[in-house]
Amino acid sequence: MSDAPGNRGDSSAGHDRGGEPASESRERESTAPGLTPPEPTASELISQALGGAARKAGLDPSREASTGHVVWAAMGGWRGIFESVVPGLAFVILYTLTRDLVLSLVVSVGSAALFTVIRLVQRSTLSAALGGLVAAAVAAGLALWTGRGEDNFVPGLITNAVYGSALLISALAGWSLIGLAVGFLMNEGTSWRADRRKRRVFFWLTIAWAALFFLRLAVQFPLYLAGDVTTLGTLKLVMGLPLFAPLVAVTWLTVRALYRRVEPPAA
């Protein structure tokens, strides 16, 4: 578990004898003249990847921003919400009304492709729209291959299972993925693991995110087995952004409180 008795929770954890953060000390040593920078460890690579993704999504605890602004940025604003909801909503509505799998998939994938083209023309960030297009295309290809509308949701079910398992395993192993991302964003590397309080907070935040993915899986998988496409598609939308946004807010507020700057006492 993450609260192993061998780790100390005092404020000097993760610092060298001069009081400098260990990660910054190692960085200065690695960039000294004549020294070859050490190869990054697996945890450092994961931290950088997660931290970079969080920063692009606007989830940087070191920046001064309101909770509402952070949640809105994480969802991509009105445009991000529209791009994430419309393809799935179009599929559910058309399939429910017509039972025409090909038409429903063409409109769904076509809308995702249109969003990507618009971003290309406007030269705006492509990652979210392009990721949505690839996911929609893969799901549509599987559904067309099997001829079953419910198979359009298989990639989402797999994603929930993989993300939930990765988060749960990382928390139980004491290397919480939330902690790795925050450690990179706050320039402390993995030294948070020496702080009992931070380790506990990151453990429970990671468990909360894992629970979100497993909850989606627990609700949606029986509907997939039953072949209830309309209910499955509707609940996928309901359990998407409406559950994602509050958890982003909780995570943001918790991390900000954990790293709140202590003002020096007045003279």
Side-chain angles (χ1 to χ4, degrees):
M1 294 288 290
S2 57
D3 289 337
N7 293 327
R8 295 172 54 192
D10 57 66
S11 60
S12 64
H15 291 68
D16 59 19
R17 282 176 291 183
E20 181 181 26
S23 59
E24 295 181 11
S25 177
R26 287 195 299 270
E27 182 179 354
R28 182 173 288 110
E29 291 173 359
S30 65
T31 56
L35 292 180
T36 302
E39 291 292 329
T41 63
S43 62
E44 289 171 341
L45 291 174
I46 295 174
S47 297
Q48 292 173 13
L50 293 173
R55 184 170 292 161
K56 289 179 181 178
L59 301 173
D60 189 346
S62 63
R63 296 178 58 188
E64 293 295 332
S66 67
T67 302
H69 174 78
V70 169
V71 174
W72 194 244
M75 294 190 298
W78 284 115
R79 184 172 188 170
I81 294 174
F82 197 70
E83 291 175 346
S84 64
V85 170
V86 167
L89 184 60
F91 174 82
V92 172
I93 292 176
L94 285 174
Y95 189 81
T96 300
L97 294 177
T98 68
R99 294 295 167 178
D100 189 328
L101 179 60
V102 175
L103 174 63
S104 304
L105 292 173
V106 167
V107 173
S108 176
V109 176
S111 62
L114 177 61
F115 295 143
T116 304
V117 171
I118 292 174
R119 284 186 174 269
L120 276 172
V121 172
Q122 296 179 341
R123 297 182 179 179
S124 57
T125 305
L126 270 177
S127 55
L130 187 59
L133 174 59
V134 171
V138 170
L142 179 60
L144 287 174
W145 182 54
T146 63
R148 290 160 29 105
E150 59 267 32
D151 285 338
N152 187 48
F153 301 96
V154 168
L157 296 173
I158 294 175
T159 298
N160 285 320
V162 171
Y163 284 2
S165 298
L167 287 160
L168 178 61
I169 292 172
S170 73
L172 296 178
W175 289 88
S176 303
L177 292 178
I178 301 296
L180 290 174
V182 174
F184 173 79
L185 291 172
M186 302 305 295
N187 296 316
E188 69 171 1
T190 59
S191 61
W192 56 269
R193 297 188 69 249
D195 187 317
R196 184 185 295 268
R197 181 166 174 259
K198 290 180 180 178
R199 201 169 66 251
R200 185 182 299 114
V201 168
F202 292 145
F203 171 82
W204 287 113
L205 283 176
T206 305
I207 289 294
W209 279 100
L212 171 62
F213 291 110
F214 284 134
L215 176 62
R216 290 174 176 173
L217 191 63
V219 171
Q220 296 170 22
F221 187 63
L223 295 171
Y224 166 76
L225 294 178
D228 190 343
V229 176
T230 300
T231 306
L232 175 57
T234 302
L235 284 178
K236 181 179 180 181
L237 293 172
V238 171
M239 302 182 76
L241 290 178
L243 294 184
F244 172 80
L247 193 50
V248 168
V250 169
T251 303
W252 169 262
L253 290 171
T254 304
V255 172
R256 286 298 298 272
L258 192 63
Y259 286 89
R260 181 172 296 154
R261 294 180 178 87
V262 179
E263 298 293 336

